[in-house]
Short mmCIF file of all heavy atoms in Angstrom, two decimals:
data_model
loop_
_atom_site.label_atom_id
_atom_site.label_comp_id
_atom_site.label_asym_id
_atom_site.label_seq_id
_atom_site.Cartn_x
_atom_site.Cartn_y
_atom_site.Cartn_z
N GLU A 1 -0.99 220.05 -108.23
CA GLU A 1 -0.02 220.94 -107.65
C GLU A 1 1.13 221.21 -108.62
O GLU A 1 1.54 220.35 -109.38
CB GLU A 1 0.55 220.35 -106.35
CG GLU A 1 -0.48 220.20 -105.25
CD GLU A 1 0.17 219.76 -103.95
OE1 GLU A 1 1.34 220.12 -103.73
OE2 GLU A 1 -0.49 219.08 -103.17
N ALA A 2 1.63 222.44 -108.56
CA ALA A 2 2.79 222.78 -109.38
C ALA A 2 4.06 222.38 -108.64
O ALA A 2 4.10 222.37 -107.41
CB ALA A 2 2.80 224.29 -109.65
N TYR A 3 5.08 222.03 -109.41
CA TYR A 3 6.38 221.77 -108.81
C TYR A 3 6.91 223.07 -108.22
O TYR A 3 6.84 224.12 -108.83
CB TYR A 3 7.37 221.26 -109.85
CG TYR A 3 7.15 219.83 -110.26
CD1 TYR A 3 6.56 219.52 -111.48
CD2 TYR A 3 7.54 218.79 -109.43
CE1 TYR A 3 6.38 218.20 -111.87
CE2 TYR A 3 7.35 217.46 -109.81
CZ TYR A 3 6.77 217.18 -111.04
OH TYR A 3 6.59 215.88 -111.41
N THR A 4 7.48 223.00 -107.02
CA THR A 4 8.08 224.18 -106.40
C THR A 4 9.57 223.93 -106.18
O THR A 4 10.37 224.14 -107.06
CB THR A 4 7.35 224.53 -105.10
OG1 THR A 4 7.28 223.36 -104.26
CG2 THR A 4 5.92 224.98 -105.39
N SER A 5 9.93 223.47 -104.97
CA SER A 5 11.36 223.25 -104.69
C SER A 5 11.95 222.18 -105.59
O SER A 5 13.14 222.21 -105.92
CB SER A 5 11.55 222.88 -103.22
OG SER A 5 10.72 221.80 -102.85
N PHE A 6 11.15 221.19 -106.02
CA PHE A 6 11.65 220.11 -106.87
C PHE A 6 12.07 220.63 -108.23
O PHE A 6 12.90 220.01 -108.91
CB PHE A 6 10.60 219.02 -107.00
CG PHE A 6 11.10 217.75 -107.61
CD1 PHE A 6 12.35 217.24 -107.29
CD2 PHE A 6 10.32 217.03 -108.50
CE1 PHE A 6 12.81 216.05 -107.85
CE2 PHE A 6 10.77 215.84 -109.06
CZ PHE A 6 12.02 215.36 -108.73
N ALA A 7 11.51 221.77 -108.65
CA ALA A 7 11.81 222.29 -109.98
C ALA A 7 13.30 222.53 -110.17
O ALA A 7 13.86 222.28 -111.24
CB ALA A 7 11.04 223.58 -110.22
N SER A 8 13.98 222.98 -109.12
CA SER A 8 15.39 223.34 -109.23
C SER A 8 16.28 222.13 -109.49
O SER A 8 17.39 222.27 -110.01
CB SER A 8 15.87 224.07 -107.97
OG SER A 8 15.77 223.22 -106.83
N VAL A 9 15.82 220.94 -109.12
CA VAL A 9 16.63 219.73 -109.32
C VAL A 9 15.93 218.73 -110.24
O VAL A 9 16.38 217.60 -110.39
CB VAL A 9 16.97 219.06 -107.97
CG1 VAL A 9 17.87 219.95 -107.15
CG2 VAL A 9 15.70 218.72 -107.19
N TYR A 10 14.83 219.14 -110.85
CA TYR A 10 14.03 218.24 -111.68
C TYR A 10 14.87 217.61 -112.78
O TYR A 10 14.87 216.39 -112.98
CB TYR A 10 12.85 219.01 -112.27
CG TYR A 10 11.95 218.18 -113.15
CD1 TYR A 10 10.93 217.40 -112.58
CD2 TYR A 10 12.08 218.18 -114.53
CE1 TYR A 10 10.09 216.65 -113.38
CE2 TYR A 10 11.25 217.43 -115.34
CZ TYR A 10 10.25 216.67 -114.76
OH TYR A 10 9.42 215.92 -115.55
N ASP A 11 15.62 218.42 -113.52
CA ASP A 11 16.40 217.90 -114.64
C ASP A 11 17.50 216.95 -114.16
O ASP A 11 17.86 216.01 -114.88
CB ASP A 11 17.00 219.04 -115.45
CG ASP A 11 15.96 219.74 -116.32
OD1 ASP A 11 14.90 219.14 -116.57
OD2 ASP A 11 16.21 220.89 -116.74
N THR A 12 18.03 217.20 -112.98
CA THR A 12 19.07 216.32 -112.45
C THR A 12 18.52 214.91 -112.25
O THR A 12 19.15 213.92 -112.64
CB THR A 12 19.59 216.85 -111.10
OG1 THR A 12 20.17 218.14 -111.30
CG2 THR A 12 20.64 215.91 -110.51
N PHE A 13 17.33 214.82 -111.66
CA PHE A 13 16.77 213.50 -111.38
C PHE A 13 16.08 212.88 -112.59
O PHE A 13 15.75 211.69 -112.58
CB PHE A 13 15.81 213.58 -110.20
CG PHE A 13 16.49 213.82 -108.89
CD1 PHE A 13 16.22 214.95 -108.14
CD2 PHE A 13 17.42 212.92 -108.41
CE1 PHE A 13 16.86 215.17 -106.94
CE2 PHE A 13 18.06 213.13 -107.19
CZ PHE A 13 17.79 214.26 -106.45
N MET A 14 15.87 213.67 -113.63
CA MET A 14 15.22 213.15 -114.84
C MET A 14 16.22 212.88 -115.94
O MET A 14 15.84 212.70 -117.10
CB MET A 14 14.16 214.15 -115.32
CG MET A 14 13.02 214.37 -114.35
SD MET A 14 11.95 212.93 -114.17
CE MET A 14 10.97 213.08 -115.67
N ASP A 15 17.51 212.80 -115.60
CA ASP A 15 18.51 212.61 -116.63
C ASP A 15 18.49 211.21 -117.24
O ASP A 15 19.20 210.94 -118.20
CB ASP A 15 19.91 212.96 -116.11
CG ASP A 15 20.35 212.07 -114.95
OD1 ASP A 15 19.58 211.15 -114.56
OD2 ASP A 15 21.46 212.30 -114.42
N ASN A 16 17.68 210.32 -116.66
CA ASN A 16 17.54 208.98 -117.25
C ASN A 16 16.37 208.91 -118.23
O ASN A 16 16.14 207.86 -118.84
CB ASN A 16 17.33 207.93 -116.15
CG ASN A 16 16.07 208.18 -115.33
OD1 ASN A 16 15.60 209.32 -115.25
ND2 ASN A 16 15.53 207.15 -114.72
N VAL A 17 15.65 209.98 -118.40
CA VAL A 17 14.53 210.01 -119.34
C VAL A 17 15.07 210.18 -120.76
O VAL A 17 15.83 211.12 -121.02
CB VAL A 17 13.55 211.15 -119.01
CG1 VAL A 17 12.47 211.26 -120.08
CG2 VAL A 17 12.93 210.94 -117.63
N PRO A 18 14.71 209.30 -121.68
CA PRO A 18 15.26 209.37 -123.05
C PRO A 18 14.55 210.44 -123.89
O PRO A 18 13.90 210.13 -124.90
CB PRO A 18 15.02 207.97 -123.59
CG PRO A 18 13.78 207.50 -122.89
CD PRO A 18 13.86 208.11 -121.50
N TYR A 19 14.72 211.70 -123.51
CA TYR A 19 14.02 212.77 -124.22
C TYR A 19 14.34 212.77 -125.70
O TYR A 19 13.44 212.98 -126.53
CB TYR A 19 14.41 214.14 -123.62
CG TYR A 19 13.76 214.46 -122.31
CD1 TYR A 19 14.51 214.54 -121.14
CD2 TYR A 19 12.39 214.72 -122.23
CE1 TYR A 19 13.92 214.86 -119.92
CE2 TYR A 19 11.79 215.06 -121.02
CZ TYR A 19 12.57 215.12 -119.87
OH TYR A 19 11.98 215.43 -118.68
N ARG A 20 15.61 212.55 -126.05
CA ARG A 20 15.98 212.61 -127.46
C ARG A 20 15.29 211.50 -128.25
O ARG A 20 14.77 211.74 -129.34
CB ARG A 20 17.50 212.51 -127.59
CG ARG A 20 18.02 212.65 -129.01
CD ARG A 20 17.67 213.99 -129.64
NE ARG A 20 18.23 215.12 -128.91
CZ ARG A 20 18.03 216.38 -129.27
NH1 ARG A 20 17.27 216.67 -130.33
NH2 ARG A 20 18.57 217.37 -128.56
N GLU A 21 15.24 210.30 -127.68
CA GLU A 21 14.57 209.19 -128.36
C GLU A 21 13.07 209.47 -128.47
O GLU A 21 12.47 209.21 -129.52
CB GLU A 21 14.79 207.90 -127.58
CG GLU A 21 16.23 207.40 -127.60
CD GLU A 21 16.40 206.15 -126.78
OE1 GLU A 21 15.39 205.47 -126.51
OE2 GLU A 21 17.54 205.85 -126.37
N TRP A 22 12.49 209.98 -127.40
CA TRP A 22 11.06 210.31 -127.45
C TRP A 22 10.80 211.40 -128.47
O TRP A 22 9.78 211.38 -129.17
CB TRP A 22 10.58 210.75 -126.08
CG TRP A 22 10.48 209.63 -125.07
CD1 TRP A 22 10.78 208.32 -125.27
CD2 TRP A 22 10.05 209.74 -123.71
NE1 TRP A 22 10.56 207.60 -124.11
CE2 TRP A 22 10.12 208.43 -123.14
CE3 TRP A 22 9.63 210.79 -122.91
CZ2 TRP A 22 9.77 208.17 -121.81
CZ3 TRP A 22 9.29 210.54 -121.58
CH2 TRP A 22 9.37 209.24 -121.05
N GLY A 23 11.71 212.38 -128.55
CA GLY A 23 11.55 213.45 -129.52
C GLY A 23 11.56 212.92 -130.95
O GLY A 23 10.76 213.34 -131.78
N GLU A 24 12.48 211.99 -131.23
CA GLU A 24 12.52 211.37 -132.56
C GLU A 24 11.23 210.62 -132.85
O GLU A 24 10.69 210.67 -133.95
CB GLU A 24 13.71 210.42 -132.65
CG GLU A 24 15.06 211.11 -132.74
CD GLU A 24 15.32 211.68 -134.12
OE1 GLU A 24 14.54 211.37 -135.05
OE2 GLU A 24 16.30 212.43 -134.28
N MET A 25 10.73 209.92 -131.83
CA MET A 25 9.49 209.17 -131.99
C MET A 25 8.32 210.11 -132.29
O MET A 25 7.52 209.87 -133.20
CB MET A 25 9.20 208.37 -130.72
CG MET A 25 7.88 207.64 -130.70
SD MET A 25 7.35 207.27 -129.01
CE MET A 25 6.93 208.92 -128.40
N ILE A 26 8.25 211.21 -131.52
CA ILE A 26 7.15 212.16 -131.72
C ILE A 26 7.25 212.81 -133.09
O ILE A 26 6.24 212.96 -133.80
CB ILE A 26 7.15 213.22 -130.59
CG1 ILE A 26 6.73 212.57 -129.27
CG2 ILE A 26 6.22 214.38 -130.94
CD1 ILE A 26 6.90 213.47 -128.07
N ARG A 27 8.45 213.19 -133.50
CA ARG A 27 8.60 213.77 -134.83
C ARG A 27 8.16 212.79 -135.90
O ARG A 27 7.49 213.17 -136.87
CB ARG A 27 10.05 214.20 -135.08
CG ARG A 27 10.25 214.79 -136.48
CD ARG A 27 11.59 215.43 -136.68
NE ARG A 27 12.69 214.48 -136.65
CZ ARG A 27 13.91 214.75 -137.12
NH1 ARG A 27 14.17 215.94 -137.64
NH2 ARG A 27 14.88 213.84 -137.05
N GLY A 28 8.51 211.51 -135.72
CA GLY A 28 8.07 210.50 -136.68
C GLY A 28 6.57 210.38 -136.74
O GLY A 28 5.99 210.26 -137.83
N LEU A 29 5.92 210.41 -135.58
CA LEU A 29 4.46 210.33 -135.56
C LEU A 29 3.83 211.55 -136.21
O LEU A 29 2.88 211.44 -136.99
CB LEU A 29 3.97 210.19 -134.11
CG LEU A 29 4.20 208.84 -133.44
CD1 LEU A 29 3.90 208.93 -131.95
CD2 LEU A 29 3.33 207.76 -134.08
N LEU A 30 4.35 212.74 -135.90
CA LEU A 30 3.80 213.96 -136.49
C LEU A 30 3.93 213.93 -138.01
O LEU A 30 3.00 214.27 -138.74
CB LEU A 30 4.50 215.19 -135.91
CG LEU A 30 4.27 215.47 -134.41
CD1 LEU A 30 5.04 216.71 -133.98
CD2 LEU A 30 2.79 215.63 -134.10
N ARG A 31 5.09 213.49 -138.48
CA ARG A 31 5.28 213.42 -139.94
C ARG A 31 4.35 212.40 -140.57
O ARG A 31 3.84 212.62 -141.68
CB ARG A 31 6.74 213.06 -140.23
CG ARG A 31 7.71 214.21 -140.02
CD ARG A 31 9.13 213.78 -140.32
NE ARG A 31 10.03 214.92 -140.41
CZ ARG A 31 11.33 214.82 -140.66
NH1 ARG A 31 11.87 213.62 -140.84
NH2 ARG A 31 12.09 215.91 -140.74
N ARG A 32 4.13 211.29 -139.87
CA ARG A 32 3.24 210.26 -140.41
C ARG A 32 1.84 210.82 -140.63
O ARG A 32 1.13 210.41 -141.55
CB ARG A 32 3.18 209.07 -139.46
CG ARG A 32 2.37 207.90 -140.03
CD ARG A 32 2.08 206.85 -138.97
NE ARG A 32 3.28 206.40 -138.29
CZ ARG A 32 3.25 205.61 -137.21
NH1 ARG A 32 2.08 205.23 -136.70
NH2 ARG A 32 4.37 205.24 -136.62
N TYR A 33 1.45 211.75 -139.75
CA TYR A 33 0.11 212.34 -139.86
C TYR A 33 0.14 213.69 -140.58
O TYR A 33 -0.82 214.47 -140.47
CB TYR A 33 -0.52 212.47 -138.48
CG TYR A 33 -0.88 211.12 -137.89
CD1 TYR A 33 -0.02 210.47 -137.01
CD2 TYR A 33 -2.07 210.49 -138.23
CE1 TYR A 33 -0.35 209.23 -136.48
CE2 TYR A 33 -2.41 209.26 -137.71
CZ TYR A 33 -1.54 208.63 -136.83
OH TYR A 33 -1.86 207.38 -136.31
N GLY A 34 1.23 213.95 -141.29
CA GLY A 34 1.27 215.12 -142.16
C GLY A 34 1.68 216.42 -141.54
O GLY A 34 1.56 217.47 -142.16
N VAL A 35 2.19 216.39 -140.30
CA VAL A 35 2.61 217.62 -139.64
C VAL A 35 4.12 217.75 -139.78
O VAL A 35 4.90 217.27 -138.95
CB VAL A 35 2.20 217.63 -138.15
CG1 VAL A 35 2.59 218.97 -137.50
CG2 VAL A 35 0.71 217.39 -138.00
N GLU A 36 4.55 218.40 -140.84
CA GLU A 36 5.97 218.59 -141.12
C GLU A 36 6.51 219.88 -140.53
O GLU A 36 7.71 220.02 -140.29
CB GLU A 36 6.20 218.59 -142.63
CG GLU A 36 5.78 217.33 -143.35
CD GLU A 36 6.86 216.26 -143.29
OE1 GLU A 36 7.97 216.56 -142.81
OE2 GLU A 36 6.58 215.13 -143.74
#
C-alpha cells in the first residue's frame, strides 16, 4: 500500500531517522565501489 494521509506528517514522525549519517555512509560505500 502507498502512504496516503500519513504522507503529510511522515517527515514529522521520522525526524529521529539519521538521514545525514546514512547519506554519508552510502556515499562512502558508493565511493568504495568506484561510483564517484
Side-chain angles (χ1 to χ4, degrees):
E1 295 187 30
Y3 285 104
T4 52
S5 53
F6 192 40
S8 63
V9 294
Y10 180 84
D11 285 340
T12 299
F13 290 119
M14 297 292 281
D15 62 2
N16 61 335
V17 174
Y19 284 112
R20 184 60 61 181
E21 292 178 19
W22 288 0
E24 287 284 350
M25 175 202 70
I26 290 172
R27 179 170 66 163
L29 287 170
L30 294 180
R31 285 180 167 180
R32 185 192 307 171
Y33 290 96
V35 183
E36 300 276 352

